[in-house]
Amino acid sequence: MKKFIYIVITLVVFGAVAFTLANNKKEMAETAAVASRTSEAIPVVMTEARTSKIDRSFTVNGNFSPIQSLSMVSETQGQVIRLNKRKGETVRAGEVLAQVEDNVLRANMITAEANFEKTKRDLERFVNLAEGDAITKRQLEEVRLGHHNAQAQLIQARHQLEKSKIKAPISGVINESYIEIGSILGGGVRLFDIVNVDKLKLKAKVSEREVLLIRKGAKATVKADVNAQDTFEGVVTAIGANADQSLRYDIEIEVKNTNENAVKAGMYGTASFEIADTRDALLIEREAIATSLQDPKVFVVKDQRAYLKPVTIGTVANDLVEITSGLAEGEKVVRSGQINLKEGTKVSVL
């Protein structure tokens, strides 16, 4: 009897479990059906075409470089006997930075001067003899050639003596010094790195649309990222003629480094271009373009369904695009959510 009761209880329990599972399955199917019906409409955010002024102002980022940068190498041989300037010091163009021992070079110049004076007197004497037919023309030409050779040797000796004084070719700051008193120099030995930071160049890149908005001589407001409260007036001095692989063009913007050289070469900087344009245009947000700017199309909504519509664009200014045909003022288009849309997709407006 007890065994029979256990069997009955077990069957009842299994029946209850089966009933519960079947009921849950039915509820899950109903929930999935509701979700399916709800997901038929893709949520989107709308915007509308509106007439406004075009603001084509833009900013670019880049690095500051010195207006001049030069690595000096030795043009003479010998031992450094005097060092007038060291790393970090300011120099002027033509200032003597170091002196190389020049006794031999000075002696060579004295010899060259004496030889030059001798050949000069010989030439004068032979010219007088030639006028009296006392010598041949060939003899006169040989003396004249000797005088020219002596003159060339004198010029070379003076040049070598002058090069023993190592002079700054540009004004600026010695960024690095590679020699000391007693250093032995030879031709091509590195001496100093000099940079001129009285003016700086901000080197940046602009897009193919931005490059058409600027010209050499155009003004820009420039500031260093680490010292944004100080602004400088910059002038465009160079525009690249050829784009790189990303279709961007190199530009250089020159600024005067006032305020005790507040900006250092190598710092990051920003240049702002104010592009005046007073005409009205029909504009939409750039993100509303569902395809590319080369083949622009937008999604319009009609009877709660999205349809792709081609448009013609004009100027692209920051995050706005000018529509020259294809839309009317006030016409609504999808601004976000296009990634899930295709022709005729049902939508719900958020």
Side-chain angles (χ1 to χ4, degrees), residues 262-273:
V263 181
K264 303 295 185 182
M267 287 182 174
Y268 289 102
T270 302
S272 301
F273 291 91

Side-chain angles (χ1 to χ4, degrees), residues 83-87 89-91 95-97 174 177 192:
L83 191 63
N84 299 330
K85 293 290 183 177
R86 295 183 178 274
K87 181 177 179 178
E89 294 189 87
T90 302
V91 299
E95 187 174 2
V96 177
L97 306 180
I174 297 178
S177 176
F192 302 97

Side-chain angles (χ1 to χ4, degrees), residues 230-302:
D230 291 338
T231 59
F232 307 85
E233 181 180 273
V235 178
V236 177
T237 55
I239 300 176
N242 190 34
D244 60 18
Q245 292 183 348
S246 61
L247 296 181
R248 299 183 70 81
Y249 294 81
D250 292 315
I251 65 169
E252 291 183 1
I253 305 165
E254 184 178 302
V255 298
K256 291 183 178 179
N257 195 11
T258 56
N259 194 17
E260 298 182 355
N261 292 339
V263 181
K264 303 295 185 182
M267 287 182 174
Y268 289 102
T270 302
S272 301
F273 291 91
E274 298 293 332
I275 308 298
D277 195 334
T278 58
R279 64 188 177 89
D280 290 327
L282 188 65
L283 304 174
I284 62 171
E285 289 85 351
R286 185 169 181 168
E287 61 180 324
I289 302 295
T291 54
S292 67
L293 294 179
Q294 286 69 38
D295 182 27
K297 296 178 183 178
V298 298
F299 277 106
V300 297
V301 175
K302 183 177 181 181

Side-chain angles (χ1 to χ4, degrees), residues 72 80-99 166-181 183 191-194:
M72 293 181 61
V80 177
I81 60 174
R82 188 168 65 251
L83 191 63
N84 299 330
K85 293 290 183 177
R86 295 183 178 274
K87 181 177 179 178
E89 294 189 87
T90 302
V91 299
R92 301 184 307 275
E95 187 174 2
V96 177
L97 306 180
Q99 175 66 55
I166 300 173
K167 298 180 180 180
I170 62 173
S171 298
V173 176
I174 297 178
N175 195 55
E176 192 60 73
S177 176
Y178 302 96
I179 59 174
E180 288 289 346
I181 294 176
S183 297
L191 303 175
F192 302 97
D193 291 339
I194 301 177

Side-chain angles (χ1 to χ4, degrees), residues 31 59 64 71 95 193 207 216 220 242 304 317:
T31 302
T59 61
F64 288 104
S71 292
E95 187 174 2
D193 291 339
S207 68
K216 287 184 67 175
N242 190 34
Q304 295 185 325

